[in-house]
Amino acid sequence: MSALPAEVPYRLTRRGVDVAQALDLSGAGRATAEAVLFLRECESQGLRVAWRAAGSPSYDLGVLRHLPPPLEMPGCESELAAWRAGYSYGSLHHRRGPGFVTVLDRRQRGTAVRLTLDHPGLLAAFLRLHEPAPLDAVDPEAVDLLVAERLVLAAGGWAVALPPRIRRWPVPCTAI
């Protein structure tokens, strides 16, 4: 198993990962980008995650429904219920090729969108945002396009790519 980001305190259990403190989903800055990165990497590795959310989101939580939902999210019970109902492993993921990235997005029930990022500026921004970055460190036009396609979360001056790179496929792999 690849190492998980160290910015979030966690412990591995027999059943997955337990996060020690509530993760900030407010969108107020770097902490939210780091939380999304951590959850994305857990999803990438097919790990079950027991975590709690903190903060009132300043963005549409629907962009995170491909990630494991929290155990609790104070003040956002209806959003949490929608998240739990809409979550499905692998509903958003990407695959890399030479000079391109293909993204499959099935977060919206009944739809499947396949996008290929092969424009050098978009591809560079997407790959740069695999790790959280300040917005001023990435081409703003590329970020705007990636945000519009719901492939990047940009909030509080920070941005991070949303689609995980799935490393653990269920059997059969065509189920995704």
Side-chain angles (χ1 to χ4, degrees):
M1 172 175 56
S2 299
L4 294 172
E7 289 77 8
V8 173
Y10 68 92
R11 70 182 179 88
L12 291 174
T13 67
R14 198 176 61 127
R15 299 183 56 95
V17 176
D18 286 341
V19 179
Q21 63 192 35
L23 299 180
D24 178 11
L25 293 187
S26 69
R30 182 180 185 147
T32 298
E34 296 289 351
V36 170
L37 168 67
F38 180 82
L39 294 170
R40 187 194 71 208
E41 290 306 302
C42 288
E43 181 78 355
S44 173
Q45 296 178 35
L47 296 171
R48 293 182 185 180
V49 186
W51 67 285
R52 289 167 173 61
S56 182
S58 60
Y59 52 90
D60 174 20
L61 268 175
V63 299
L64 301 183
R65 288 201 184 129
H66 65 289
L67 299 173
L71 299 172
E72 61 184 46
M73 200 165 152
C76 301
E77 286 74 22
S78 63
E79 289 92 345
L80 178 56
W83 191 341
R84 287 180 179 152
Y87 171 72
S88 176
Y89 178 76
S91 61
L92 175 70
H93 63 275
H94 80 275
R95 296 184 122 180
R96 294 182 191 177
F100 70 93
V101 168
T102 300
V103 178
L104 178 62
D105 186 353
R106 297 187 314 165
R107 288 175 287 185
Q108 188 72 23
R109 289 204 189 274
T111 64
V113 176
R114 187 176 308 273
L115 300 169
T116 300
L117 304 176
D118 57 0
H119 182 277
L122 282 177
L123 182 60
F126 181 82
L127 295 175
R128 169 65 180 95
L129 293 174
H130 188 70
E131 296 291 325
L135 282 172
D136 59 9
V138 187
D139 175 25
E141 208 172 307
V143 170
D144 289 345
L145 286 168
L146 293 168
V147 167
E149 291 296 336
R150 300 167 56 95
L151 301 179
V152 163
L153 174 65
W158 284 81
V160 64
L162 295 170
R165 187 175 186 186
I166 301 294
R167 292 178 175 89
R168 304 230 176 186
W169 292 94
V171 177
C173 65
T174 56
I176 288 189

